[in-house]
Amino acid sequence: MAPCLGFSLTFPCLDLPECGKCVKKGLTPSATERASLDKVPQCAGCGIVYAYLSTVLCGACIKYSEAEPLAFDGLSQVTKFLADRANTFQAEATQYRLNQHSPNKALQAAALVKQKISALKKQCGTENITVFVSIWSYPEHKKGAGSKAQLPVINGQYATTASVDYVFEELLKKAAAIYQKSPVYKHMVTVFDRESVIFTVQNGTSTHQIEEEFILRPVGEFFGHIKTRKMLSDKDAKAHTLTLCLYVYEKTELSSEDDTSIPLPLPKSIRRGSTTPKKASKRSSHAAFGENISPVSASMAPPLKKKVTISRTRSAARIPYRSSYRREIGPSLTYDAYDFTQTLCNVDPISGVVSLVQSNSIKSILVGQGWQSHIKEGKPAGAYISKGFSKYAFKGLLDSKYYALFQCQPMRTLPTNNRSDLLDELKLLGMAQFFLGSFYARAKAAGLGNMPVIRWNFTGAFVGHAKNITPPPDDKEDTRSLIFEDFLVTPLLQIDKDTEERKFSGNDDFRSNTDTLGRFIDAYVHHVVCDSFEDILFADIQGIISKDGSLCLFDPQADTHHGNSGHWDLGKPQIKLYLEKHNCNHICRTLELNLPIQNRDSDDAFPQRVSVALGSTKRHPLRVGFD
């Protein structure tokens, strides 16, 4: 039981800081639309608004109240409070408000059209937000208030699904371009780097810091967050715009301490051996550097009080160069070289039939040594990446690129089972990517635009078979870089400060995600169930979000009709349970996933495809361990 921060009411099943009505109001730019939300029924248990709710509780809360009646003891008090509150406001309303004339029908129709257009834009994910940025500059190494740059306000229109980090990067590029064209700041060196600038939200004369947790979130979600917390101006809240301040630090190029400055050259009239040089003319004192001047010793040169600075060739506003070199921490990696052959996975883009292709060409791969010594530490070190329920992950080099290699733990499997498990997982990756393609095709057919960029870590994946592996030792610990002859290879996904690793669902967790990207993943999972005619349910969805908002998924797991994809596979009952508990979001409804699943076009084609992809009858787990 948690109170809503925006409505000050307690909802027994609320698991978010704000109820559904407050969230919708925060994302709604129009005052008319916000007023209409007050009339939409709201569940008193979970706080979610439903257009056609006729009872106090929604269906899910009714079931929960039957299982946990103690959690709803205070519900009657909430209901009474709402009724008393309504009676109080009705009693205090003026006769003018109660008996006012009906509004103009034309205005009503226009407002309704505007409301429908806004709702359709939100449904299709095509809603944009306009961002305005003013630049404030601060002199380097000087105290005092900054000044607003004499430059036009930068603006840009971005999709609400774009990440805040991506929007900031694009605005920085525009700011740098404007600085380059401005003659006022041509004598300044300003570094437009994310680590050297500060973005704040402007509300009149006050500014608000931007929380780090929203940097990788969609800008639409960030807008709703700051709007509900009154951090936006009334103008921005009504117009659905965002006004920011960009604080940059600049330094003057004409600095006497600059290492590119040179002493003023001596005039021609000064001769070698002369102790009292003639007075230099104004013209000769500014002789150009590089002119043929007689050399003079330092002791004979007149005292110079000024320096002239050579103009820098770099632009005043720039994106700085960054070295890609990184100092090694600890001992450098050493590798073992193995000759191997590849087994690739081919997925028919039309039918989705999965087939394995064996290549006879021999290649060479480098596998990191000593990774097994870091397993007990449980942290990435050296060539060791991670350990899952049944697998080890470690680094390898192929064609000068890093890859992640996977092998089953020797105490859990045999060499023959290791190969079949890895091949099954490779085929499952291919099947997941195929259904992602059909998900985009369904979205295009439904007119759903502005889709997020999502992919599976499938491109470049294969299963290798080593030719020259050494046999295991008999009397000591096995420290070989390859335990078995067969190994799964996928591109290595880098995780740093600019990325976010996120888990969208578990093996038996059917709760819905509340953000835009999470809703697309929920719709993708629902699409797979419908598109496979209830034969496949992908579970334990996880991936890495890049700073541009794109998502790379890895480690697929599935519940299947035959129940043979791994130890977690609960089979057909789990798929049925998912369909009972899944709550469709607006993306599901746009794609018509909420409609009954149609019959198969062919009773023979698709079952054959599934059996090819997931035909193993062994129960060895396929988990790729990144936890």
Side-chain angles (χ1 to χ4, degrees), residues 13 75 157 180 246 268 282 371 379 449 456 474 476 482 562 585:
C13 299
L75 187 59
Q157 203 170 50
Q180 289 176 352
L246 171 61
K268 291 182 179 180
K282 183 176 181 180
W371 57 267
K379 297 180 180 179
W456 283 93
D474 296 330
K476 59 180 180 180
L482 283 182
H562 301 288
N585 55 39

Side-chain angles (χ1 to χ4, degrees), residues 518-576:
R519 293 190 184 103
F520 273 102
I521 295 298
D522 292 343
Y524 163 67
V525 173
H526 193 182
H527 159 79
V528 173
V529 175
C530 296
D531 208 40
S532 66
F533 302 100
E534 302 183 15
D535 274 352
I536 300 177
L537 167 66
F538 284 117
D540 200 25
I541 304 293
Q542 54 193 315
I544 295 176
I545 304 174
S546 302
K547 65 178 182 180
D548 60 356
S550 61
L551 171 65
C552 181
L553 301 171
F554 59 84
D555 186 17
Q557 296 182 22
D559 298 304
T560 64
H561 178 79
H562 301 288
N564 59 358
S565 68
H567 77 285
W568 60 82
D569 194 335
L570 301 178
K572 192 69 175 178
Q574 190 72 355
I575 301 176
K576 184 178 179 181

